[in-house]
Amino acid sequence: MISRRYRFIAGYYYVSDLLATALAFFAAWHLRFNSSLGGLIPFAVEDEPDFGRYLVLLPIVLLLWSVVLYFHGLYQVRRPKNGVDESLTLLVAVVLATVLLSVFTVWYRVPGSPRPDGSFEWFTYSRGFLAFFAALDLAFLVTTRTLIRTYLKKIRLQGRNLQRI
């Protein structure tokens, strides 16, 4: 019974992490290519890249983040883990996952638009996008985990998590 409850709480963390990461992905796209803040880093091409090419990257990002966060022990429910320890663990996990994603995007090359001589120009993912994504993802992950931890603490203080033995 207790392990089932911990799996349920770990499931909350997992789903919230995936949602926060996906939200950070879309927010980074918007900040990089559709806002005035994205103008801080100039485009290497004339117009914004096709969103579909970035959308192909999203399942890979979600899978990679799931694996990295799992192996950093962020889905093991241990009480009481304070926010600073969890935030530092999230920082290390997000940096590692971003480095792995950068390595993947260097090796994963898809042909872009054809050149006049018949060769293809290779499509590359924006490093500015990856930087925005890493920063936003860290902020969103810390925020959602803090909200969940605060909610669980509130439930514990009210005594609603007690069970009969």
Side-chain angles (χ1 to χ4, degrees):
M1 187 66 138
I2 292 174
S3 65
R4 189 173 81 183
R5 182 183 331 147
Y6 286 147
R7 282 191 304 233
F8 192 68
I9 292 171
Y12 271 150
Y13 281 123
Y14 179 71
V15 169
S16 72
D17 288 348
L18 288 182
L19 291 175
T21 301
L23 183 63
F25 188 87
F26 292 120
W29 166 265
H30 177 71
L31 282 176
R32 175 66 179 105
F33 298 112
N34 294 330
S35 75
S36 62
L37 187 61
L40 295 174
I41 306 169
F43 292 153
V45 293
E46 294 90 26
D47 54 352
E48 75 179 45
D50 181 28
F51 181 65
R53 292 192 186 259
Y54 279 81
L55 204 54
V56 168
L57 194 61
L58 184 61
I60 297 162
V61 166
L62 294 177
L63 178 67
L64 182 63
W65 257 247
S66 297
V67 170
V68 169
L69 293 176
Y70 174 79
F71 282 112
H72 272 86
L74 289 164
Y75 299 125
Q76 296 173 356
V77 180
R78 290 175 258 146
R79 263 187 17 183
K81 189 170 187 176
N82 65 15
V84 175
D85 287 342
E86 190 174 52
S87 297
L88 289 175
T89 305
L90 282 169
L91 174 67
V92 170
V94 167
V95 167
L96 175 65
T98 304
V99 167
L100 291 174
L101 181 65
S102 297
V103 168
F104 176 78
T105 58
V106 167
W107 285 343
Y108 176 69
R109 303 286 235 164
V110 292
S113 57
R115 292 182 179 170
D117 63 354
S119 65
F120 283 98
E121 179 180 339
W122 296 101
F123 178 78
T124 58
Y125 292 98
S126 167
R127 289 179 301 236
F129 166 77
L130 292 176
F132 279 136
F133 172 63
L136 287 172
D137 189 45
L138 179 64
F140 290 173
L141 287 172
V142 168
T143 302
T144 56
R145 284 182 164 259
T146 301
L147 290 173
I148 290 174
R149 196 173 45 256
T150 304
Y151 177 70
L152 291 174
K153 184 178 180 181
K154 182 179 174 182
I155 287 175
R156 284 186 204 108
L157 289 175
Q158 291 175 352
R160 291 192 293 164
N161 68 330
L162 299 177
Q163 294 181 0
R164 291 194 179 172
I165 296 178

